[in-house]
Amino acid sequence: MNWKAESDIISTVEFNPTGELLATGDKGGRVVVFQREQESKNQPHRRGEYNVYSTFQSHEPEFDYLKSLEIEEKINKIRWLPQQNAAYFLLSTNDKTVKLWKISERDKRPEGYNLKDEDGRIRDPSTITALRVPVLQPMDLMVEATPRRVFSNAHTYHINSISVSNDYETYMSTDDLRINLWNLEITNQSFNIVDIKPANMEELTEVITAAEFHPNQCNTFIYSSSKGSIRLCDMRASALCDNHCKFFEEPEDPSNRSFFSEIISSISDVKFSHSGRYLMTRDYLTVKVWDLNMESKPLETYQVHDYLRSKLCSLYENDCIFDKFECVWNGSDSVIMTGSYNNFFRMFDRNTKRDVTLEASRENSKPRAILKPRKVCVGGKRRKDEISVDSLDFSKKILHTAWHPSENIIAVAATNNLYIFQDKVN
């Protein structure tokens, strides 16, 4: 890492439902919102540039005096709500507290108060002889972020994901052992819909790693576990969804069994396709696509960085084996993207079965630079454009990526840098 502070490391990236805005959260508890430039007649190529729209401190470091624990300010997840009026709303969460933020614009200010001066001082009532009609005067555009709701004190363990239901009235927050359902209007109570905490914590065998609502059925959601399984639950069946409707798990190949099998089979991210027909899971070495109608095995399995299989021992020693990579679909569910090491990220085309490795780096981020595919070689003779698996930089990792909901624009977070790439086809 360069001289930048630890607090600048980006910890989540999320486009809003129209793709006009892009939000990032970082380890320092800040949220930065970027807005896409509107197309202008004299600069048609400017369309697609994202510029900073609003920056605000979402979470502060806290201290839990009862448990003598520091609570980090790091933003774990951001989720946008669909836009209902001129303002934008997003949910952001750290390990313990979810906040609903309103981002709004102000370009007029009221002037001509009766009871106070322009600078805000209260006027002496005896000097008021006439009634003034306040008027709205134009002013420089201000973008304000205000916290509208704070949802706290509902999680004993760390929150790893939040997901908004498609009824846009409720959302769920997930920690290692429980999932809670909230109403966006009500902050002082939530409903526990999944609880896998055993009566005796020594019997704990798995934790919840991620959860997400179905994109168009507000009663259905999925959650993934550290054991490599996914459970689909239906809230119509019972209030407490401890029993799942469907259970997706690939039986392990005994010939591949090793000391690391359990660690690398843990699912770090799970996402429904936009259509709601498929779901995608990411574990340490692969991305899998599942058909909701087939629980026995995944429809497709993509190797993200199979060349690391021989390196698991050193990745365990430097803790990289516990990295949590995310995965995303493109707008039409035909291509999937996920990150790797050395600032590489991977794309898999589900139709052509072609895949590509791209690199997010300063050199490639010049305007209109074309990303060249990268290749990693394992042993043997290295070609000049290949990189050897032994020279990969494991401190440079792409954990968080996002794909524009309808266009080929992607956002890639490489430690403290955000890269935005767009397809030149348009």
Side-chain angles (χ1 to χ4, degrees), residues 198-399:
N200 177 5
M201 279 295 270
E202 285 173 9
E203 291 166 14
L204 184 69
T205 58
E206 64 180 332
V207 293
I208 302 171
T209 55
E212 190 180 58
F213 268 115
H214 191 285
N216 37 38
Q217 296 168 9
C218 60
N219 52 283
T220 312
F221 66 94
I222 44 171
Y223 68 92
S224 58
S225 88
S226 56
K227 274 196 158 170
S229 59
I230 308 107
R231 291 171 175 83
L232 179 99
C233 303
D234 187 340
M235 288 191 282
R236 295 172 302 187
S238 72
L240 191 62
C241 302
D242 283 354
N243 297 323
H244 47 266
C245 308
K246 291 190 175 182
F247 181 78
F248 303 87
E249 187 177 44
E250 187 169 31
E252 193 192 9
D253 178 0
S255 63
N256 277 343
R257 178 124 191 93
S258 75
F259 171 74
F260 304 108
S261 294
E262 235 166 78
I263 303 173
I264 63 172
S265 67
S266 174
I267 293 174
S268 54
D269 195 18
V270 59
K271 294 264 174 41
F272 272 108
S273 63
H274 295 82
S275 67
R277 170 70 191 271
Y278 304 103
L279 50 99
M280 163 168 59
T281 58
R282 171 73 153 96
D283 56 38
Y284 192 64
L285 294 176
T286 66
V287 172
K288 295 181 173 125
V289 174
W290 304 76
D291 186 322
L292 278 187
N293 301 330
M294 186 170 80
E295 298 167 62
S296 55
K297 63 178 195 291
L299 208 57
E300 301 151 23
T301 300
Y302 300 98
Q303 300 296 336
V304 178
H305 36 217
D306 203 44
Y307 47 79
L308 296 183
R309 239 176 241 284
S310 58
K311 293 258 175 285
L312 293 176
C313 206
S314 53
L315 290 163
Y316 177 75
E317 281 166 7
N318 65 13
D319 275 354
C320 283
I321 201 167
F322 302 107
D323 284 335
K324 292 178 169 54
F325 291 96
E326 294 169 10
C327 51
V328 288
W329 300 88
N330 72 338
S332 61
D333 299 333
S334 60
V335 183
I336 55 189
M337 170 171 65
T338 190
S340 180
Y341 293 103
N342 209 62
N343 279 358
F344 288 171
F345 58 98
R346 304 269 284 134
M347 285 188 178
F348 303 96
D349 188 313
R350 298 181 56 212
N351 301 327
T352 63
K353 297 293 181 254
R354 288 217 300 264
D355 65 281
V356 64
T357 302
L358 300 169
E359 182 183 5
S361 71
R362 287 275 165 87
E363 292 72 63
N364 303 343
S365 62
K366 296 185 178 65
R368 303 194 219 330
I370 291 178
L371 291 181
K372 287 196 287 289
R374 303 298 307 259
K375 287 249 185 332
V376 177
C377 75
V378 187
K381 204 162 177 293
R382 185 168 70 90
R383 294 205 186 92
K384 81 168 175 44
D385 56 343
E386 291 183 335
I387 180 165
S388 156
V389 67
D390 295 315
S391 52
L392 294 174
D393 185 344
F394 292 110
S395 67
K396 292 181 175 169
K397 50 191 94 169
I398 289 178
L399 303 175

Side-chain angles (χ1 to χ4, degrees), residues 10-16 21-26 32 34 75-80 271 326 328 398-403 410-415 417-420:
I10 297 172
S11 51
T12 183
V13 188
E14 191 77 12
F15 280 100
N16 79 332
L21 299 181
L22 170 69
T24 64
D26 65 23
V32 181
F34 299 86
I75 309 292
N76 292 344
K77 282 281 184 292
I78 289 172
R79 286 288 178 266
W80 289 92
K271 294 264 174 41
E326 294 169 10
V328 288
I398 289 178
L399 303 175
H400 315 285
T401 56
W403 203 306
I410 56 169
V412 175
T415 43
N417 296 310
L418 178 72
Y419 296 94
I420 296 172

Side-chain angles (χ1 to χ4, degrees), residues 54-110:
S54 172
T55 303
F56 57 94
Q57 188 72 29
S58 173
H59 287 68
E60 301 280 356
E62 292 174 55
F63 192 78
D64 183 337
Y65 292 98
L66 290 174
K67 299 198 178 72
S68 291
L69 276 180
E70 283 183 46
I71 301 167
E72 281 186 23
E73 63 272 43
K74 172 183 166 227
I75 309 292
N76 292 344
K77 282 281 184 292
I78 289 172
R79 286 288 178 266
W80 289 92
L81 296 173
Q83 195 176 356
Q84 312 280 357
N85 53 25
Y88 300 98
F89 287 87
L90 63 82
L91 288 166
S92 63
T93 184
N94 67 347
D95 284 339
K96 296 287 179 198
T97 305
V98 183
K99 293 184 181 181
L100 174 67
W101 288 89
K102 176 186 182 182
I103 302 167
S104 52
E105 295 183 354
R106 230 182 38 193
D107 59 359
K108 291 187 176 61
R109 66 162 182 263

